[in-house]
């Protein structure tokens, strides 16, 4: 049996995933038992009013150590990172945050004998030499982006800490995450969120990816479900640890636009690919997640049509659009 998670710290808690993960974990584990942290000094009211919040740069190992001590933390969900598009604009920062931040988290977890650490990987761990359709669990990992390189290091380093030091590190290769609450933070899959806001506000969108660009994607409820399922899975069932493929759905930009048109018939899209096209072209189109299904029972709840209907409903309310 795995040890229980009782006192949780989240890094990068103000981000697209962290902001929703914090609330779900607070509901599940108790508000005072989930400490949200981020480099940002301007967290949302919801974040600070619903439980503890600390400003924390993951590159600051002393501060990380003192926050872990202060709250008797036993589990870290390490969500702080610089994503693919931002990483290509500043590869030095991406390396510093994604590698040195991760190293600090793993070292503190090792020193303090923590119960478990979640370190997310990404479809960005793959590269142009990887089979693009139904990408296997075990395959070529030769990413061309600095972000992808840091994700491969994260997978291998987490696995190293597991075998060398017995630290229970777990992680999934998230696809592009689509959500209605917090905007994405500088990735290549951000178009799949922006398109909904623009469709509702202006009935048109200019895509920075070509219309035939097909990528693996996942709706936030499935992202949260996968994260928590893996972290609560019995360790003895896991053959993999830090690098599970997880699939939600897979669609091209044009297919998403057509799905939105079913709800907003006069929605128009045009295409002006930029530097992110090359990144997207180096990533898979779809993912084989049979290892996650076998080892911890993964299956997604949302497909393209269910996700689109839910996104539009949530954003209509958020933006007060009828
Ligand atoms: P995000 O960019 O939305 O959020 C990252 C958060 O980290 C931000 O709130 C930012 O302020 C914070 N941060 C940046 N530098 C920091 C530092 N030095 N110290 C502390 N905090 C810092 O990212 P996200 O989409 O929420 O992603 C969370 C994790 O999931 C990342 O590891 C990311 O690589 C991974 N992931 C995300 C997606 C996706 O589509 N969102 C897909 C694959 C993998
Ligand atoms: N959504 C992320 C990005 O585009 C994938 O890891 O960077």
């Amino acid at each position: 049996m795995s040890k229980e998670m009782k006192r949780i710290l989240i890094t990068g808690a103000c981000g697209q995933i962290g902001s929703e993960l914090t609330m779900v974990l607070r509901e599940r584990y108790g508000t005072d038992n989930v400490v949200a942290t981020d480099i940002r000094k301007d967290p949302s009211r919801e974040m600070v009013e619903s439980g503890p919040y600390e400003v924390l740069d993951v590159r600051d190992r002393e501060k990380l150590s003192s926050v872990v001590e202060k709250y008797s933390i036993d589990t870290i969900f390490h969500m702080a990172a610089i994503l693919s598009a931002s990483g290509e604009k500043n590869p030095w920062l991406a390396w510093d945050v994604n590698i040195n931040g991760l190293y600090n988290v793993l070292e503190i977890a090792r020193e303090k004998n923590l119960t478990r650490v979640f370190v997310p990987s990404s479809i960005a761990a793959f590269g142009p030499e990887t089979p693009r359709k139904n990408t296997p669990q075990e395959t070529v990992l030769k990413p061309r982006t600095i972000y992808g390189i840091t994700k491969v290091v994260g997978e291998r380093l987490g696995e190293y800490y597991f075998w060398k030091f017995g630290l229970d590190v777990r992680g999934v290769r998230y696809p592009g995450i689509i959500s209605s609450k917090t905007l994405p933070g500088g990735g290549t899959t951000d178009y799949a969120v922006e398109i909904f806001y623009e469709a509702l506000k202006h009935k048109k969108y200019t895509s920075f990816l070509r219309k035939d660009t097909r990528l693996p994607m996942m709706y936030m409820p499935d992202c949260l479900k996968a994260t928590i399922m893996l972290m609560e899975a019995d360790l003895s069932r896991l053959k993999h640890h830090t690098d599970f493929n997880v699939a939600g759905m897979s669609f091209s930009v044009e297919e998403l636009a057509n799905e939105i048109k079913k709800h907003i018939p006069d929605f128009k899209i045009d295409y002006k690919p930029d530097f992110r096209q090359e990144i997207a072209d180096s990533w898979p189109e779809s993912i084989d997640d049979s290892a996650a299904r076998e080892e911890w029972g993964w299956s997604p709840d949302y497909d393209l049509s269910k996700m689109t209907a839910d996104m539009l409903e949530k954003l209509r309310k958020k933006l007060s659009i009828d």
Side-chain angles (χ1 to χ4, degrees):
M1 280 293 287
S2 312
K3 280 197 281 177
E4 271 182 60
M5 302 182 279
K6 294 194 181 106
R7 304 272 297 168
I8 294 170
L9 179 140
I10 305 173
T11 69
C14 295
Q16 186 193 10
I17 301 175
S19 59
E20 298 210 34
L21 183 65
T22 301
M23 296 308 145
V24 172
L25 290 175
R26 281 181 175 165
E27 237 171 64
R28 207 170 170 85
Y29 288 89
T31 49
D32 291 340
N33 294 324
V34 179
V35 182
T37 72
D38 198 287
I39 198 169
R40 284 175 62 165
K41 297 189 173 84
D42 61 345
S44 67
R45 276 184 66 178
E46 182 190 33
M47 179 77 68
V48 280
E49 284 174 3
S50 64
Y53 181 84
E54 297 273 350
V55 176
L56 172 67
D57 183 333
V58 288
R59 293 168 295 177
D60 182 348
R61 197 187 301 184
E62 262 178 47
K63 175 90 189 269
L64 175 61
S65 176
S66 75
V67 174
V68 166
E69 284 286 316
K70 179 176 168 189
Y71 294 96
S72 307
I73 295 300
D74 57 48
T75 300
I76 300 179
F77 285 74
H78 178 46
M79 311 309 284
I82 305 297
L83 275 71
S84 60
S86 304
E88 288 313 293
K89 288 185 189 152
N90 190 343
W92 305 274
L93 178 69
W95 181 266
D96 192 19
V97 173
N98 297 5
I99 298 297
N100 295 325
L102 170 67
Y103 184 54
N104 287 339
V105 166
L106 292 174
E107 273 296 277
I108 298 289
R110 179 188 66 79
E111 279 166 24
K112 299 187 189 301
N113 198 20
L114 298 198
T115 299
R116 204 159 301 144
V117 181
F118 182 77
V119 177
S121 185
S122 161
I123 51 166
F126 303 118
E129 287 97 342
T130 308
R132 296 194 68 212
K133 291 190 170 64
N134 211 22
T135 300
Q137 175 68 44
E138 312 300 342
T139 187
V140 183
L141 298 177
K142 290 167 80 176
R144 295 265 175 98
T145 60
I146 191 70
Y147 172 68
I149 291 165
T150 66
K151 288 294 164 190
V152 175
V153 174
E155 291 182 6
R156 300 327 314 150
L157 200 59
E159 199 81 22
Y160 181 80
Y161 272 69
F162 177 79
W163 292 112
K164 179 84 178 171
F165 304 118
L167 180 66
D168 186 357
V169 187
R170 305 183 185 189
V172 296
R173 293 170 176 151
Y174 287 134
I177 304 300
I178 300 168
S179 66
S180 57
K181 186 169 173 179
T182 304
L183 285 167
T188 302
T189 57
D190 295 14
Y191 94 83
V193 178
E194 288 169 8
I195 192 172
F196 284 99
Y197 283 84
E198 295 306 308
L200 284 167
K201 286 199 271 190
H202 305 116
K203 296 192 168 28
K204 61 180 182 12
Y205 178 63
T206 300
S207 168
F208 58 76
L209 297 181
R210 270 193 332 264
K211 64 174 162 186
D212 61 343
T213 305
R214 181 181 299 278
L215 288 167
M217 298 279 183
M218 180 176 277
Y219 196 33
M220 184 60 87
D222 279 334
C223 168
L224 300 173
K225 176 175 143 177
T227 307
I228 292 170
M229 273 185 87
L230 173 60
M231 284 297 271
E232 292 182 351
D234 196 328
L235 180 61
S236 64
R237 285 187 61 196
L238 303 184
K239 295 190 195 92
H240 299 83
H241 299 96
T242 56
D243 57 4
F244 283 101
N245 281 1
V246 282
M249 60 195 89
S250 179
F251 53 75
S252 67
V253 185
E254 189 176 34
E255 284 164 354
L256 175 57
N258 288 340
E259 193 61 38
I260 292 172
K261 275 185 205 164
K262 290 182 188 165
H263 302 261
I264 307 173
D266 47 350
F267 171 57
K268 300 233 168 347
I269 182 159
D270 61 0
Y271 301 90
K272 286 206 182 106
D274 67 13
F275 73 101
R276 289 168 280 193
Q277 185 65 53
E278 197 181 344
I279 301 176
D281 287 342
S282 74
W283 290 353
E285 293 188 350
S286 59
I287 294 288
D288 171 9
D289 61 2
S290 42
R293 289 173 185 265
E294 277 157 30
E295 293 174 42
W296 44 279
W298 166 245
S299 72
D301 294 327
Y302 285 84
D303 60 12
L304 174 59
S305 70
K306 200 170 161 196
M307 176 276 292
T308 302
D310 199 62
M311 271 295 278
L312 289 172
E313 190 191 322
K314 294 227 159 62
L315 287 182
R316 274 201 172 100
K317 277 192 202 131
K318 181 175 172 178
L319 304 171
S320 305
I321 292 173
D322 297 330

